[in-house]
Amino acid sequence: MPSFKSLNLLPSIIEALDKKGYENPTPIQEGSIPHLLKGGDILGIAQTGTGKTAAFSLPVLHNLASNRVKTKPARMRCLVLTPTRELASQIEDNIKEYGKGLNLSSLVIFGGVSPRPQIKRLSKGVDIIIATPGRLLDLMGDGHVLFEQLETFILDEADRMLDMGFINDVKKVIKKLPAKRQTLLFSATMPQDIAELSKKLLKDPKRVEVTPESTTVEKIEQKINLVERGNKPLLLKSILKDKNIKHMLVFTRTKHGANRVVQHLEKEEISSAAIHGNKSQNARERALNGFRDGTVRVLVATDIAARGIDVASITHVINYNLPDDPKSYVHRIGRTARAGREGVAISFCDPSEKGLLKDIEKCIQYKIPIDESHEYHGVEALLKEEKRLRNPNLNKRRPQKARPAKHNRKSNK
Ligand code: AMP
């Protein structure tokens, strides 16, 4: 396995990596960095958790610092487009850490906050911009962003851009980029639209593919807790009796569901916070920072908000509701067991979610063990449900006996 030193990165970058405790490049880094240092294009099939941020940041920092050019107002030398504000902030944090001592400037651009500070900063020109597409387009429309000095363009999480409905915005940005540039495209999956876009965007790219899903998943202890829907809050509370659980990420299907879980936990005086699309940028950042520094023990999130959360110390992921899309299951549980650690993923499954569980097991080709040892094991209801699914006749409504009216029943007591 090559070391970072053998990749010929600038000494100050090697020093920063040493400080982070990185010993060797991950496969995506090993596959991309030498090619990127030479100026080539990359098609990276990889998701967060593989080390892809460093795979693109390190060579960009090296190249920009090795050939310094002053940026004019509104210009940048490198643009990273990423779908969520959280990812944009995390990428900038990484770039700052890896680039400490290189004296390169960076700026994040995203919506949900006042554009004024972003515009002010842009007026001086920046080396690296990390942006979400919507706000970038707004600023481009007002003439605050110009691309003549762009050398490297990175499209991160392209499939997620498609999922979140941002792909047309992305294409509008791409139209304005100079033809002569280095381009990198990263995507966890390759839907048709992204494959076509990559053909247009990249010139003779090197394809680097890593399959973290199976490798990450192997390190995660997965289990199913069969439980009645109404018992889910109690089950969560009982799991949290284990004081060793310091960083738990809980996934709910809806934003309201996330708020409800937080309310339950607050009643039990368990420190928790929700992040989802209805929360302001400040509230999301507060929640994430609290989670990172340990003041928030349980972070409750919806799929989209949680995309890219990279807190290495997450030991437990709870699927409070099973996801509709089986692939989300893999993304969700991949939030634990980061950077070589181990993790536990517990999925709550109520009778109505049995079909979703089957879809997930089919997708991951693994029968997730059922843990019967918890206090709220609700196997009977599930067995009944399975019987109902197997025998469609049971679904037909039987003629109901006349029931006494509610007020009569009360008066009978
Ligand atoms: P990413 O896929 O960029 O979200 O990175 C996933 C996690 O792996 C982050 O916590 C990184 O800090 C960490 N990481 C990235 N590269 C390395 C490396 N070469 N050795 C150890 N950890 C790494």
Side-chain angles (χ1 to χ4, degrees):
M1 189 181 271
S3 65
F4 280 112
K5 281 204 185 87
S6 68
L7 295 177
N8 290 326
L9 290 162
L10 290 171
S12 105
I13 298 179
I14 301 286
E15 209 176 289
L17 296 173
D18 268 353
K19 264 198 199 132
K20 294 273 290 176
Y22 298 179
E23 283 167 11
N24 299 104
T26 65
I28 187 101
Q29 292 161 2
E30 191 185 332
S32 326
I33 292 174
H35 189 70
L36 290 171
L37 288 173
K38 283 189 245 152
D41 285 4
I42 285 277
L43 175 61
I45 317 289
Q47 61 165 55
T48 44
T50 55
K52 76 177 159 69
T53 315
F56 65 73
S57 308
L58 303 179
V60 161
L61 288 164
H62 175 101
N63 288 342
L64 294 182
S66 307
N67 170 31
R68 289 189 186 268
V69 177
K70 189 162 168 30
T71 45
K72 293 181 197 146
R75 276 70 163 187
M76 83 295 303
R77 299 179 66 194
C78 170
L79 171 68
V80 185
L81 268 191
T82 193
T84 68
R85 311 172 220 189
E86 282 77 17
L87 273 170
S89 298
Q90 272 173 28
I91 293 171
E92 198 204 23
D93 288 348
N94 282 336
I95 285 179
K96 278 189 168 148
E97 277 181 282
Y98 304 144
K100 213 170 173 199
L102 292 179
N103 201 20
L104 293 167
S105 57
S106 60
L107 169 68
V108 276
I109 290 182
F110 49 60
V113 292
S114 160
R116 251 176 262 133
Q118 298 171 2
I119 294 170
K120 192 166 167 222
R121 186 64 200 80
L122 270 165
S123 69
K124 293 186 197 129
V126 195
D127 290 308
I128 304 167
I129 288 186
I130 307 108
T132 55
R135 172 61 63 85
L136 183 71
L137 268 181
D138 291 347
L139 297 180
M140 283 164 61
D142 294 336
H144 298 298
V145 179
L146 298 166
F147 294 114
E148 300 103 71
Q149 285 189 281
L150 184 93
E151 295 164 39
T152 305
F153 170 59
I154 299 160
L155 179 57
D156 187 31
E157 307 241 342
D159 53 347
R160 202 63 177 180
M161 294 279 196
L162 189 69
D163 276 0
M164 291 172 74
F166 297 160
I167 205 70
N168 286 331
D169 284 355
V170 170
K171 286 180 184 167
K172 282 185 203 157
V173 175
I174 290 170
K175 267 199 192 142
K176 302 282 179 199
L177 302 181
K180 188 172 172 293
R181 56 163 202 259
Q182 181 181 35
T183 310
L184 291 64
L185 186 151
F186 290 92
S187 193
T189 56
M190 252 315 129
Q192 185 66 19
D193 287 13
I194 299 300
E196 276 164 24
L197 180 68
S198 74
K199 273 189 211 137
K200 285 191 204 143
L201 205 58
L202 302 166
K203 286 195 196 106
D204 195 17
K206 179 173 180 200
R207 187 184 165 103
V208 186
E209 188 161 357
V210 289
T211 45
E213 315 205 337
S214 53
T215 46
T216 313
V217 168
E218 274 158 21
K219 276 186 263 144
I220 302 171
E221 183 192 344
Q222 301 173 63
K223 39 190 175 181
I224 298 292
N225 280 1
L226 300 177
V227 59
E228 294 286 352
R229 184 162 21 165
N231 282 337
K232 286 186 178 182
L234 296 169
L235 175 57
L236 184 60
K237 188 180 122 189
S238 81
I239 293 172
L240 282 161
K241 277 187 204 152
D242 180 351
K243 294 280 178 267
N244 291 321
I245 303 177
K246 300 250 176 351
H247 280 102
M248 174 190 271
L249 180 61
V250 177
F251 283 94
T252 58
R253 185 173 303 130
T254 64
K255 300 167 194 169
H256 293 302
N259 291 341
R260 273 197 301 272
V261 171
V262 167
Q263 280 160 13
H264 283 302
L265 294 174
E266 273 172 1
K267 267 192 218 144
E268 303 301 328
E269 297 186 350
I270 296 170
S271 60
S272 60
I275 65 165
H276 52 63
N278 286 359
K279 295 269 175 188
S280 70
Q281 176 63 18
N282 282 346
R284 284 167 177 220
E285 266 171 21
R286 240 192 343 268
L288 261 179
N289 289 340
F291 193 51
R292 283 206 187 94
D293 69 26
T295 46
V296 170
R297 188 172 167 217
V298 185
L299 189 67
V300 189
T302 54
D303 282 298
I304 288 191
R307 175 77 177 191
I309 288 181
D310 178 22
V311 179
S313 47
I314 295 173
T315 51
H316 287 69
V317 167
I318 303 284
N319 288 312
Y320 196 84
N321 310 108
L322 288 182
D324 292 328
D325 175 4
K327 278 194 227 110
S328 297
Y329 175 81
V330 181
H331 288 306
R332 284 178 177 193
I333 70 169
R335 300 299 101 204
T336 181
R338 312 281 283 172
R341 292 181 166 86
E342 304 206 334
V344 180
I346 306 175
S347 300
F348 293 4
C349 177
D350 73 40
S352 70
E353 295 174 303
K354 202 68 207 259
L356 297 177
L357 175 59
K358 285 215 176 98
D359 292 345
I360 290 167
E361 290 182 330
K362 204 162 132 203
C363 169
I364 60 173
Q365 301 197 342
Y366 174 63
K367 187 134 184 63
I368 309 169
I370 292 176
D371 171 18
E372 296 186 9
S373 65
H374 67 89
E375 286 173 61
Y376 300 94
H377 181 61
V379 76
E380 269 166 36
L382 283 167
L383 287 177
K384 234 189 268 165
E385 175 69 10
E386 236 174 28
K387 232 191 230 167
R388 190 184 65 78
L389 286 173
R390 257 190 259 123
N391 184 354
N393 286 335
L394 289 179
N395 289 339
K396 290 188 188 139
R397 276 177 161 250
R398 293 201 199 108
Q400 299 268 310
K401 276 187 197 161
R403 301 174 86 186
K406 233 178 181 177
H407 58 273
N408 287 345
R409 271 187 306 194
K410 251 190 186 162
S411 61
N412 286 345
K413 272 191 182 169

